[in-house]
Amino acid sequence: MIKLLIVDDHPMILDGSKKLFNAVSDISIDTLNDIESFADVIEKKVYDVFLIDVNLGACSGLTFAELVKEKYPSSIVILYTGDDIKDYYSLIIEKKINNVISKTATKDRILKTIYAAMNNDMLLPEDFIDYVNDSCSGNSIKKILRFNNREKRILELVMEGYTNQAIALELGVKQRTIENNLSQIYTLLNVGTRAEAVIKAKEMNLI
């Protein structure tokens, strides 16, 4: 039996997600929308798979993904998001998460992704191969940290003194999306502040 925890701060989405798995006999599902109790929940019960929404109100799903990976390295962490899933490919390469699924994915796609991960396999779109190829130099298998265009632009605007709200207006996205992008950047660079992110990105010639 696969023990699955779905984390989302929207009760209606959680209810729909739970119904999605009701007829699946080999998956035991719990849901969580009280983000404050996340640490207590994973302390009391060990899950095989965590399906975590990227946008969790004032928090970031990336923060919770990192917490799970630190506490239970063998657990499977899958992000699900309304953003372009390519924005999170770098986290897969860096082994910060196991996979990412679009919120528009079908039930069949979600189940196949979970089953594949449980079998130490990975179900991803074809363009993931292009992303990996672009991240490598020639035949070298050395991984290269790289940012997508949005992440680079966010850091450029941070350097210019833009606030998160101003960056969101400049790029035409929600402020919460910018905050999540910054959280991802912090995770990749192993830093904790905007200033540290800019300094380290410049040192690594990423911007």
Side-chain angles (χ1 to χ4, degrees):
M1 180 71 70
I2 299 172
K3 296 185 289 295
L4 168 68
L5 177 67
I6 302 179
V7 183
D8 196 304
D9 62 333
H10 293 91
M12 289 183 63
I13 293 178
L14 275 183
D15 185 56
S17 299
K18 190 168 186 176
K19 289 178 181 177
L20 187 72
F21 292 95
N22 275 346
V24 183
S25 60
D26 59 348
I27 295 181
S28 171
I29 178 174
D30 290 330
T31 60
L32 178 68
N33 72 334
D34 178 14
I35 309 305
E36 296 292 331
S37 64
F38 183 83
D40 292 334
V41 169
I42 65 173
E43 187 71 37
K44 293 175 182 176
K45 183 175 179 179
V46 178
Y47 293 91
D48 301 304
V49 182
F50 293 81
L51 187 59
I52 303 176
D53 183 15
V54 170
N55 296 313
L56 292 173
C59 304
S60 168
L62 304 178
T63 301
F64 292 100
E66 187 174 9
L67 177 62
V68 171
K69 279 297 185 182
E70 287 178 358
K71 190 169 184 62
Y72 304 110
S74 61
S75 293
I76 293 164
V77 174
I78 300 173
L79 296 179
Y80 73 113
T81 177
D83 300 328
D84 189 339
I85 65 172
K86 291 195 291 293
D87 291 345
Y88 303 95
Y89 283 171
S90 57
L91 295 180
I92 298 174
I93 293 177
E94 295 296 316
K95 295 188 177 180
K96 304 288 187 181
I97 60 173
N98 296 88
N99 214 324
V100 57
I101 300 177
S102 170
K103 285 190 174 182
T104 61
T106 63
K107 175 182 178 180
D108 182 62
R109 179 77 181 188
I110 296 173
L111 289 175
K112 284 182 177 179
T113 300
I114 291 173
Y115 290 138
M118 289 294 296
N119 288 310
N120 295 317
D121 292 326
M122 188 177 294
L123 182 67
L124 282 164
E126 272 188 23
D127 61 9
F128 181 74
I129 298 175
D130 297 330
Y131 183 92
V132 173
N133 287 336
D134 289 342
S135 300
C136 297
S137 176
N139 295 322
S140 171
I141 60 173
K142 181 180 179 181
K143 292 182 294 185
I144 300 174
L145 179 61
R146 62 194 286 270
F147 291 137
N148 58 42
N149 291 334
R150 180 193 288 176
E151 290 165 341
K152 288 179 182 177
R153 184 57 181 152
I154 288 173
L155 283 175
E156 289 169 353
L157 293 172
V158 168
M159 282 193 297
E160 294 175 20
Y162 280 60
T163 63
N164 289 353
Q165 183 178 18
I167 294 172
L169 290 172
E170 177 73 18
L171 300 185
V173 298
K174 294 180 179 178
Q175 182 174 335
R176 188 168 65 178
T177 299
I178 298 301
E179 291 166 353
N180 284 322
N181 287 149
L182 281 170
S183 293
Q184 180 175 338
I185 290 170
Y186 296 164
T187 299
L188 290 173
L189 293 177
N190 193 28
V191 298
T193 68
R194 291 156 56 102
E196 290 174 341
V198 169
I199 292 171
K200 192 163 185 178
K202 290 177 71 175
E203 288 176 348
M204 298 175 68
N205 295 318
L206 295 172
I207 54 175

